[in-house]
Amino acid sequence: MDSPGYNCFVDRDKMDATIQDLGPKELSCTDLQELKQLARQGYWAHSHALRGKVYQRLIRDIPCRTVTPDASVYSDIVSKIVGKHSSSSLPLPEFVDNTQVPSYCLNARGEGAVRKILLCIANQFPDISFCPALPAVVALLLHYSIDEAECFEKACRILACNDPSKKLIDQSFLAFESSCMTFGDLVNKYCQAAHKLMVAVSEDVLQVYADWQRWLFGELPLSYFARVFDVFLVEGYKVLYRVALAILKFFHKVRAGQPPESDNVKQDIRMFVKDIAKTVSPEKLLEKAFAIRLFSRKEIQLLQMANEKALKQKGITVKQKSVSLSKRQFVHLAVHAENFHSEIVSVKEMRDIWSWVPERFALCQPLLLFSSLQHGYSLARFYFQCEGHEPTLLLIKTTQKEVCGAYLSTDWSERNKSGGKLSFFGTGECFVFRLQPEVQRYEWVVIKHPELTKSTSLVSPETTTTTFSSLSHSASSDPADRLSPFLATRHFNLPSKTESMFMAGGNDCLIIGGGGGQALYIDGDLNRGRTGHCDTFNNRPLCSENFLIAAIEAWGFQDPDTQ
């Protein structure tokens, strides 16, 4: 063994062949793109010694705040903090989930060292209020550290990263919860088949997605987690979303059509991840992860900010350590059978639609804004009832009993800014759908075909701050109280405007989707409509191409705490 010091905390009998140094001994690469490829390919994955050197280099290069605790600090404080306790009996810090402390083939000395290091980190980082991923990170780093002090220093550098564009580990409940919501949004867009399964088999799908970090930082076997961590240190947080999405895709592929192993899909996924070696290799898992063409890092950052804003509005703070399950509102909790009534859709159908909307609005309950049976068949009255609400949900029932509609991201009052001309507005979160005779959703064409555009850079903090406050999600006139414009078209270099014709409204018609046709066209009397293929959503007709309207409704999103 070339580097026995790296393994002083490891139970070699448990490690089997994974501890062997079979790969290259040195890494001379300095180019970031080349380093990304080497990390993804597992260049240092089969050399325990080289991986230790690479981790040392990558973590050393993390930009950190000026005063970051180092190895000497650990030596100074560890005896005072640990006292006379034996390492195995040490309590864990409050910010750690006690059920999520993987051993990763550590021996008794290593497991005790993890507890000591976590307690010393808690002493030096009093602002950390929730960080369930940290035990896994410390346990892995201990494999590649000469002693506890070096492992402590590496973990501290990861926590003290001060590059706003390089998010690494969630350190508050607010950040953690918004990450869970963001993951749910990404599942909704990139794993629609898996999402449909989760909605069907779980009472509260957000509870399932709240487990996504545990899949990575707890359930994944050591050899898999190490491969993920290799790439994570090079590319950052987005890698975690990619791998978790890939896990869900594989889970759906294996379980689709099979009866559930238990009545708890959350537990089923945990067991699947724990035994993932039976299904897929680390190489195939990463290959699947990087085949998913996600939004840009900056676009995901805007989505995360929007979700954080929504949580803050519900009273969740940075200092908060946890939240009661009753605080989580999702599909089956948001649409209550006893107080929901629609002339167009059933409770079950509305729950299905609710499972498609962005997580930050799925926290809300449906609020009827307009009904043709109550308010009459008037487009002017439709606008009057809907203005001041963002987003809204449009539902249409034809005289042939077909049901279709659209989720519309932007306040209808935006139409007034075009000086009386019919012009399109909205964002890429808009989508159209049909429910009868069959269920089908069509999202922005760019989501499934990112090759149509190249996301523009939103690099400076000033730009991000300005953008964050530039789109209202409510009737509030205070820019500081507005949500960020996730998927605003100005963030993308689109070849033409036809890919961004989301919604338009004039005095004599309402249009959803454009370019080569319209997904929905409704006349000013709310009497007749037509539907066809459009470039914006790349959809098939949502119902009969020319139809008569039996009923039309518009729904808003009401925070249950304001009722």
Side-chain angles (χ1 to χ4, degrees), residues 252-313:
H252 174 260
K253 183 178 180 180
V254 170
R255 298 297 165 85
Q258 296 183 9
E261 294 193 356
S262 72
D263 57 0
N264 186 339
V265 69
K266 190 172 180 177
Q267 193 62 36
D268 287 350
I269 297 175
R270 287 182 184 178
M271 292 306 299
F272 172 80
V273 177
K274 190 172 290 187
D275 296 330
I276 197 168
K278 298 177 181 178
T279 305
V280 61
S281 66
E283 291 75 21
K284 289 294 183 184
L285 179 62
L286 288 175
E287 183 180 310
K288 173 73 79 174
F290 287 103
I292 302 170
R293 301 186 66 178
L294 287 182
F295 302 124
S296 70
R297 183 179 62 195
K298 290 296 180 181
E299 205 63 41
I300 291 177
Q301 202 171 39
L302 289 175
L303 177 57
Q304 182 97 3
M305 292 164 68
N307 286 331
E308 282 196 12
K309 184 72 173 178
L311 289 168
K312 286 178 180 176
Q313 290 172 341

Side-chain angles (χ1 to χ4, degrees), residues 142-443:
L142 205 50
H143 279 260
Y144 303 98
S145 300
I146 294 173
D147 55 24
E148 295 171 13
E150 182 182 297
C151 180
F152 169 83
E153 179 173 327
K154 288 174 180 173
C156 287
R157 290 196 65 81
I158 291 173
L159 292 168
C161 175
N162 63 359
D163 182 351
S165 68
K166 192 174 184 180
K167 175 183 176 181
L168 291 177
I169 296 180
D170 294 328
Q171 299 177 40
S172 70
F173 186 76
L174 177 63
F176 171 82
E177 190 77 351
S178 63
S179 294
C180 294
M181 292 171 65
T182 300
F183 177 70
D185 285 324
L186 296 176
V187 174
N188 199 350
K189 295 189 182 303
Y190 294 102
C191 305
Q192 292 185 11
H195 181 65
K196 185 177 180 180
L197 174 66
M198 295 303 106
V199 171
V201 301
S202 61
E203 186 69 17
D204 182 1
V205 76
L206 185 53
Q207 284 288 332
V208 177
Y209 298 152
D211 228 23
W212 79 278
Q213 288 196 25
R214 183 184 179 124
W215 305 342
L216 307 179
F217 297 98
E219 304 298 351
L220 266 184
L222 172 61
S223 58
Y224 287 71
F225 178 59
R227 286 296 305 277
V228 173
F229 200 75
D230 292 346
V231 189
F232 165 73
L233 283 180
V234 177
E235 300 190 38
Y237 199 91
K238 187 176 173 181
V239 168
L240 305 181
Y241 285 135
R242 286 186 178 280
V243 176
L245 289 170
I247 286 172
L248 203 56
K249 281 179 174 286
F250 279 117
F251 175 80
H252 174 260
K253 183 178 180 180
V254 170
R255 298 297 165 85
Q258 296 183 9
E261 294 193 356
S262 72
D263 57 0
N264 186 339
V265 69
K266 190 172 180 177
Q267 193 62 36
D268 287 350
I269 297 175
R270 287 182 184 178
M271 292 306 299
F272 172 80
V273 177
K274 190 172 290 187
D275 296 330
I276 197 168
K278 298 177 181 178
T279 305
V280 61
S281 66
E283 291 75 21
K284 289 294 183 184
L285 179 62
L286 288 175
E287 183 180 310
K288 173 73 79 174
F290 287 103
I292 302 170
R293 301 186 66 178
L294 287 182
F295 302 124
S296 70
R297 183 179 62 195
K298 290 296 180 181
E299 205 63 41
I300 291 177
Q301 202 171 39
L302 289 175
L303 177 57
Q304 182 97 3
M305 292 164 68
N307 286 331
E308 282 196 12
K309 184 72 173 178
L311 289 168
K312 286 178 180 176
Q313 290 172 341
K314 295 186 71 63
I316 294 176
T317 67
V318 172
K319 294 293 185 182
Q320 197 162 337
K321 292 183 173 63
S322 63
V323 69
S324 65
L325 295 184
S326 61
K327 283 277 187 181
R328 296 179 185 267
Q329 300 289 327
F330 198 70
V331 181
H332 291 78
L333 301 178
V335 184
H336 297 292
E338 62 273 13
N339 57 15
F340 173 80
H341 176 72
S342 167
E343 300 292 339
I344 299 177
V345 296
S346 65
V347 171
K348 180 186 181 303
E349 288 171 326
M350 193 58 144
R351 285 173 175 169
D352 288 340
I353 296 170
W354 228 246
S355 74
W356 297 334
V357 306
E359 295 278 3
R360 62 190 186 277
F361 299 117
L363 295 167
C364 303
Q365 293 177 355
L367 173 67
L368 183 63
L369 304 176
F370 174 86
S371 167
S372 55
L373 299 183
Q374 293 182 33
H375 301 103
Y377 291 79
S378 164
L379 184 56
R381 185 63 184 270
F382 172 90
Y383 291 142
F384 178 80
Q385 293 294 127
C386 292
E387 286 180 2
H389 294 272
E390 181 178 303
T392 54
L393 185 68
L394 177 68
L395 298 177
I396 298 168
K397 185 175 185 178
T398 74
T399 54
Q400 300 300 310
K401 300 188 184 306
E402 301 158 308
V403 176
C404 60
Y407 170 84
L408 304 167
S409 65
T410 306
D411 192 330
W412 278 106
S413 63
E414 193 77 10
R415 78 189 197 286
N416 297 322
K417 296 182 179 180
S418 58
K421 296 180 181 179
L422 189 68
S423 64
F424 284 89
F425 52 96
T427 73
E429 285 194 295
C430 293
F431 61 82
V432 295
F433 58 88
R434 65 169 177 257
L435 295 180
Q436 298 289 347
E438 59 181 344
V439 177
Q440 183 67 53
R441 173 175 51 144
Y442 299 95
E443 295 194 287

